[in-house]
Amino acid sequence: AGVRPGACIGYVVDLSHVAGGVGGLDAARRGGALVSNVAVWLWRPPNWRDIPSASARFELPEGMRVSVPWPRDGERYVLDKTAFAFLAHAAFGRFEVEQVHAPGAVIEVAILDGLTPATREAVVPWVSTAARMASLLGGTFPRDHAQVVVVPTTPSDEPVRFAMMTRGGGASMGVLLPSTAEKKALQQDWVAVHEFTHLFAPFVARPDAWLSEGLATYYQEILRVRGGVLSEAEAWRRIYAGSQKGRNASRSLAQESADMYQTHAFSMVYWAGASFSLMADVELRRL
């Protein structure tokens, strides 16, 4: 029947069934910490759309901490409707927390165990550089607070294995970071800039992902040039090469976007969307 105004719900969450996860961001354990999708354990009131706001408080074993993207008010966290409408990342247990300052924003970075000392040392400069470049688009970072959860993975030739920006109660980026990622490669990489840039646009449903992913893909190149980590020539080369991916599509970009999780045509959708962003940018400047 829903929750009455002012009511309080208490419940116990046992995350042991996901504690053995070794894969992605829905559930993974590293050292003495567990990262999980908030949807795994957050109880959503049936009438959540009618609740202007709610609050949450955690009771954790001694020595344990929590990282969630929600604004804090003393011992409680404030949840708006987006906390129930969208996904977010959470970390529980023993892990390190760093604060990164960007123009107009503070970013909380939760770092799970498993990185080499050199990679661990590179995390804060990497997040700081990406946030600074994203801020070049509007002069300030798109949110005044954000959370980044860094989950170490096995070594890889890629600087970043995977990342995802979510909006459940606040900006929340989960990152699968190779344990041996090198500082120089991270500083030049596009992934974190891409994810932060998503925050400049409102949520776009999956069938129209070409728009949101296209904007982020376009600006990951532009902002890295403006930030001094990518040459103009290389950015143009990448944009041109990416634009070719959509030329042989047999269906509309909207259809490809709607089905890309089945067809895995991510690269085509992202870069074709970036081509539309470039054309729109040029036309706006002409006008």
Side-chain angles (χ1 to χ4, degrees):
V3 179
R4 298 187 306 276
C8 180
I9 302 295
Y11 62 99
V12 176
V13 177
D14 180 4
L15 293 176
S16 60
H17 68 290
V18 297
V22 296
L25 294 166
D26 282 339
R29 185 165 190 165
R30 297 293 184 274
L34 171 72
V35 60
S36 78
N37 192 317
V38 167
V40 172
W41 48 265
L42 179 64
W43 178 74
R44 185 169 71 172
N47 61 333
W48 64 270
R49 290 180 177 83
D50 301 323
I51 300 175
S53 67
S55 64
R57 182 168 62 88
F58 297 94
E59 294 183 3
L60 301 169
E62 186 176 353
M64 299 291 181
R65 69 195 320 169
V66 60
S67 175
V68 288
W70 309 327
R72 190 162 186 167
D73 181 13
E75 293 185 353
R76 296 179 181 273
Y77 294 89
V78 180
L79 286 67
D80 62 13
K81 292 182 180 181
T82 66
F84 303 110
F86 299 112
L87 304 178
H89 304 101
F92 298 94
R94 294 181 175 86
F95 53 89
E96 294 184 87
V97 174
E98 299 269 11
Q99 281 196 343
V100 170
H101 292 269
V106 176
I107 301 172
E108 178 181 292
V109 186
I111 309 167
L112 278 61
D113 291 341
L115 300 175
T116 64
T119 302
R120 169 63 184 86
E121 186 177 341
V123 168
V124 169
W126 162 57
V127 174
S128 179
T129 297
R132 175 182 59 82
M133 287 190 287
S135 302
L136 295 173
L137 186 55
T140 60
F141 194 77
R143 301 289 182 89
D144 58 9
H145 179 268
Q147 172 213 37
V148 176
V149 179
V150 178
V151 181
T153 65
T154 54
S156 170
D157 292 335
E158 300 174 299
V160 180
R161 181 69 59 80
F162 177 77
M164 174 184 290
M165 180 62 72
T166 58
R167 303 168 185 258
S172 174
M173 183 169 77
V175 182
L176 298 179
L177 188 67
S179 59
T180 57
E182 296 183 357
K183 181 178 181 179
K184 182 179 180 180
L186 283 174
Q187 295 283 78
Q188 298 175 340
D189 189 61
W190 59 270
V191 174
V193 182
H194 177 106
E195 297 303 328
F196 284 148
T197 304
H198 274 305
L199 298 174
F200 283 101
F203 172 75
V204 174
R206 184 175 294 175
D208 298 312
W210 65 269
L211 175 58
S212 58
E213 296 296 352
L215 282 167
T217 301
Y218 177 57
Y219 277 116
Q220 78 191 25
E221 307 301 314
I222 301 300
L223 294 174
R224 286 190 297 156
V225 173
R226 294 179 184 174
V229 302
L230 187 69
S231 70
E232 288 188 24
E234 177 62 11
W236 281 120
R237 186 197 67 78
R238 286 172 54 84
I239 291 172
Y240 176 78
S243 70
Q244 306 307 302
K245 298 179 184 293
R247 290 189 178 277
N248 296 323
S250 59
R251 303 189 301 167
S252 72
L253 190 52
Q255 292 171 317
E256 294 289 358
S257 296
D259 296 339
M260 68 180 181
Y261 281 85
Q262 288 73 46
T263 62
H264 303 286
F266 299 101
S267 182
M268 188 274 284
V269 170
Y270 283 36
W271 281 106
S275 298
F276 276 93
S277 297
L278 170 60
M279 290 187 287
D281 195 354
V282 171
E283 183 64 10
L284 286 168
R285 292 171 187 274
R286 188 188 67 80
L287 292 172

